[in-house]
Amino acid sequence: MLPLPGLVDKLIDSPSKKNSNCMCVDTKKKSPENLWQDRNIVRDSGILSRLRKEKLKLQEHLYEVVTSDQTYHQSLSVAVEHFQESPVLKEALAPRDRKSLFSSIAKIKEISQRLDQFVVQDYVHRSLIEVTEGTDLEEELEGCELNRIFQLDLLHNHRSTTSQLLLQTKAEKDLWVDLGGRRDGQDTVYEEWDFPQVRYIEVYNGQQQGELSLQLGDMINIIQNTTDGFLEGRRIQGGQPGWFSAACVVEITNEHVQRRHLRQRYHVLQTATRLLKQRSGGLEQRTTTCFK
């Protein structure tokens, strides 16, 4: 898809010291271009009429990332070049106050500039990540340190396909494993970005402290699902939290349910593949060579 007009050209160099006195801009003379499709260069190109809704949405996401990143770098540059390096502030502040005020901001700016060099190859909703540790993989990993290896499966990426990556890390493997880990048979605490939703089908008046009184048809975001048949939720209208019985509600089909079905389908296919290999006389071992 890239390059498209008006996206990459938004990235500009940080202000240099030689024009440090020209940082002020009269924003009243220009209307802000909050959306990629609002930019003149995009409108004049005629590309908007050729983009499907999904492609347009993707471009808006990319534009938001680029402009947010640009603003962040500019803010760091201003903090370092116009305040930390200011001769006036150096004379006015004691060394201890100066260290407390600016801390490691120059190092943060340096690291941030290095991180900006990474390129996004693929992406997926965070609930559609499956992680398998190297010791659990069925293929032979030649020259690999299994404690540093994990397989990352993106179950439904931006192309609506499943992609698979074999990664080797230094110290952050556990973070990926925790991100992709889902354990059945345990209480589940849901994140705000992945609430399941239910609709109440019975009238219930809370009898104890912490219970949620609900009316027929009330819609609730589920916060926690316990193994003893109780749910903790928050009523969508009004935001009141509380506990209630799972037997009194039915689940609503939303994005959370759709993603859960995708995960279940993936697990079924993985199990079926293993069974077919076993019935065919054993697994055909695949060798992967790791390079350092």
Side-chain angles (χ1 to χ4, degrees), residues 61-292:
H61 288 324
L62 291 172
Y63 182 73
E64 182 178 358
V65 171
V66 169
T67 53
S68 298
D69 187 64
Q70 175 207 358
T71 302
Y72 177 66
H73 286 307
Q74 285 182 335
S75 299
L76 287 175
S77 298
V78 170
V80 172
E81 299 174 8
H82 299 275
F83 291 97
Q84 185 181 29
E85 301 298 331
S86 169
V88 177
L89 282 180
K90 286 182 179 180
E91 294 180 3
L93 294 175
R96 182 176 180 179
D97 294 334
R98 177 180 171 80
K99 183 178 180 180
S100 176
L101 180 62
F102 294 107
S103 186
S104 303
I105 191 170
K107 188 65 176 178
I108 294 174
K109 177 175 179 287
E110 178 186 346
I111 294 174
S112 177
Q113 288 174 332
R114 291 204 303 266
L115 291 176
D116 191 41
Q117 298 172 2
F118 287 92
V119 177
V120 176
Q121 300 291 343
D122 205 348
Y123 62 91
V124 71
H125 190 278
R126 67 181 76 181
S127 67
L128 294 177
I129 292 175
E130 291 288 336
V131 179
T132 306
E133 297 194 60
T135 53
D136 296 329
L137 294 175
E138 297 176 348
E139 62 180 297
E140 181 181 343
L141 303 175
E142 182 179 324
C144 300
E145 299 180 33
L146 295 182
N147 61 333
R148 295 174 51 194
I149 293 291
F150 67 93
Q151 179 177 292
L152 179 67
D153 292 303
L154 309 182
L155 306 191
H156 194 76
N157 62 14
H158 68 287
R159 295 186 298 272
S160 299
T161 61
T162 299
S163 62
Q164 192 176 83
L165 300 171
L166 187 65
L167 302 176
Q168 179 171 281
T169 66
K170 293 183 178 179
E172 64 273 16
K173 188 194 75 171
D174 290 342
L175 297 177
W176 284 98
V177 173
D178 291 341
L179 182 63
R182 292 179 179 84
R183 301 172 180 85
D184 296 330
Q186 297 185 7
D187 292 353
T188 304
V189 178
Y190 297 99
E191 300 288 348
E192 187 173 355
W193 44 264
D194 199 30
F195 280 147
Q197 292 182 340
V198 297
R199 178 172 54 85
Y200 227 69
I201 56 176
E202 296 182 14
V203 176
Y204 179 77
N205 296 316
Q207 302 296 321
Q208 301 179 11
Q209 184 178 1
E211 289 188 340
L212 189 62
S213 296
L214 295 165
Q215 301 296 319
L216 187 67
D218 278 349
M219 310 280 283
I220 308 130
N221 284 329
I222 302 302
I223 301 172
Q224 184 175 180
N225 185 357
T226 66
T227 56
D228 57 2
F230 281 87
L231 303 172
E232 182 186 9
R234 182 178 294 111
R235 185 187 285 112
I236 294 178
Q237 186 175 4
Q240 182 184 2
W243 291 88
F244 53 92
S245 172
C248 300
V249 298
V250 292
E251 191 171 44
I252 300 172
T253 301
N254 61 0
E255 290 185 1
H256 170 89
V257 177
Q258 294 169 356
R259 289 190 289 265
R260 187 181 67 211
H261 289 166
L262 284 170
R263 293 195 301 269
Q264 292 172 344
R265 176 179 178 272
Y266 170 80
H267 292 151
V268 169
L269 290 176
Q270 291 293 96
T271 302
T273 300
R274 285 195 295 269
L275 289 175
L276 287 174
K277 288 182 178 179
Q278 291 173 359
R279 291 177 180 176
S280 63
L283 298 173
E284 295 182 3
Q285 201 72 1
R286 184 178 62 179
T287 302
T288 299
T289 303
C290 292
F291 298 93
K292 300 180 180 178

